Amino acid sequence: MSRSRTGFRAIKSRVLGAIMATAVRGVFGFARLLGPERSSDLGAWLARTVGPLLPQHRIALANLRAVFPEMSEAERIRIARSAWANLGRTGAEYAHLGKLFDYDPEAPAPGRVEVVGIEHFLKLRDDGLPGIIFSAHLGNWELPAICAARFGLDATAIFRPPNDPAAARLVYEVRSGTMGGLTASSGGGAAFAIAGVLERGGHLGQLIDQHFTRGVVTTFMGRPALTNPLLAKLARHHDCPVHGVRVVRLQGHRFRLELTPPVDLPRDEEGRIDVARATQVMTSIVEEWVRENPGQWLWMHRRWRVSGK
């Protein structure tokens, strides 16, 4: 009987996953008909309207109260609603990733995207060395990977796939059509795939601003947080350049990508990169970005979960 129920649940899960994937494809199709600007506006309106009704909104406000105790509640609510709008825009823009990035350094007039630090992208591409790029869930965080692909930078994005296999396939399909390499952060062979990118002289990119259960304790926004040390460990092993990249959402459906110069990471007495302190340096850079544009960050997840803190 239990074996029968298990089989039924597996079938039910696959059917629901297929239905969800079909529904998402339908939404993508509708968004493509609307165009990037109107679908972005619709996504912002929907998320800003529905988001505050969800349990995650309480998490966002609790996070904002803890991080900004001096701020008025009205301002915290405004930031939380802005964060929902940014998330809605980013979701709607997935249907347009292929055309969203239009940066052309030779164009006579600026387009939808401007890039600060393109010289660093080009140096990473041409120096023959492996490299590491860290980022955060700010603006439309998918754009740097598209920029790398468009400018011929051999880059692989480390991503956490959705738990549902059908949703995971759909996300991979959307991303792989516009970006360079993609590798899951977990699963069979993930560690070898990630290390192999740097060993062949490629570049790895990862979002480092979410809770990581097995992470090192860092200070983020004045509070202890567990942060994934993977990039710092890889930088220590390969002793390669490390850059940060962020996306700032601008007025008029525009974006600014900013790639930092190589980050000077702390080293230990043997001259090797110190993993814990290097993770803190990268986290502190992300904190500066969030403080500059708090309404463009994902406040609705439980970032601060350090036992005993």
Side-chain angles (χ1 to χ4, degrees):
M1 184 66 174
S2 61
R3 190 176 295 178
S4 167
R5 287 178 178 174
T6 301
F8 175 75
R9 287 173 182 169
I11 294 172
K12 181 180 177 182
S13 177
R14 287 196 294 270
V15 170
L16 290 175
I19 292 173
M20 181 61 70
T22 301
V24 172
R25 290 180 191 277
V27 171
F28 276 19
F30 178 65
R32 291 190 181 102
L33 289 175
L34 289 178
E37 288 81 13
R38 286 191 296 172
S39 60
S40 176
D41 289 343
L42 178 60
W45 178 81
L46 285 172
R48 192 169 52 239
T49 302
V50 177
L53 305 177
L54 302 177
Q56 288 77 8
H57 189 65
R58 292 194 293 272
I59 295 174
L61 290 177
N63 286 336
L64 286 162
R65 292 183 190 111
V67 170
F68 298 119
E70 76 290 350
M71 186 178 287
S72 70
E73 186 69 2
E75 180 63 10
R76 297 188 196 108
I77 292 172
R78 186 195 67 79
I79 291 174
R81 287 174 63 87
S82 294
W84 281 114
N86 183 74
L87 179 60
R89 289 188 185 279
T90 301
E93 288 160 356
Y94 263 87
H96 306 281
L97 288 180
K99 65 172 71 170
L100 205 61
F101 184 86
D102 65 351
Y103 174 70
D104 180 359
E106 306 299 328
R112 184 180 286 113
V113 176
E114 60 185 57
V115 178
V116 176
I118 191 65
E119 67 274 14
H120 303 310
F121 270 105
L122 299 178
K123 185 175 180 180
L124 278 169
R125 182 190 68 186
D126 300 333
D127 63 10
L129 300 173
I132 290 171
I133 304 172
F134 64 90
S135 190
H137 291 84
L138 284 159
N140 187 319
W141 52 85
E142 303 288 2
L143 291 179
I146 300 174
C147 179
R150 293 284 177 87
F151 282 87
L153 177 67
D154 180 8
T156 297
I158 304 171
F159 74 102
R160 184 171 62 185
N163 294 329
D164 179 74
R169 286 195 298 271
L170 182 58
V171 169
Y172 184 85
E173 177 184 313
V174 171
R175 285 174 162 170
S176 62
T178 55
M179 305 176 187
L182 291 166
T183 185
S185 58
S186 60
F192 292 103
I194 290 170
V197 171
L198 296 178
E199 288 170 0
R200 62 174 169 76
H203 306 81
L204 278 173
Q206 186 181 36
L207 301 162
I208 64 166
D209 58 333
Q210 290 191 306
H211 171 79
F212 187 71
T213 304
R214 302 184 305 280
V216 299
V217 179
T218 60
T219 299
F220 180 57
M221 307 295 287
R223 303 174 65 199
L226 288 171
T227 302
N228 192 336
L230 174 63
L231 295 187
K233 289 180 178 180
L234 292 169
R236 175 182 174 90
H237 182 75
H238 294 273
D239 202 12
C240 58
V242 176
H243 296 255
V245 65
R246 68 166 169 172
V247 179
V248 180
R249 190 178 292 277
L250 306 175
Q251 293 294 323
H253 303 96
R254 299 185 66 248
F255 307 88
R256 182 172 67 245
L257 273 67
E258 298 180 358
L259 183 69
T260 72
V263 178
D264 186 16
L265 296 177
R267 295 177 180 267
D268 58 23
E269 295 178 354
E270 299 176 354
R272 303 181 69 195
I273 288 174
D274 184 298
V275 171
R277 291 194 294 150
T279 304
Q280 179 62 66
V281 166
M282 289 186 272
T283 299
S284 296
I285 291 173
V286 171
E287 176 176 332
E288 292 177 9
W289 296 343
V290 174
R291 289 187 181 278
E292 285 184 30
N293 294 284
Q296 297 187 23
W297 190 63
L298 289 179
W299 291 96
M300 37 308 252
H301 71 283
R302 296 180 60 225
R303 178 66 180 95
W304 294 272
R305 282 181 276 172
V306 179
S307 178
K309 299 291 183 179

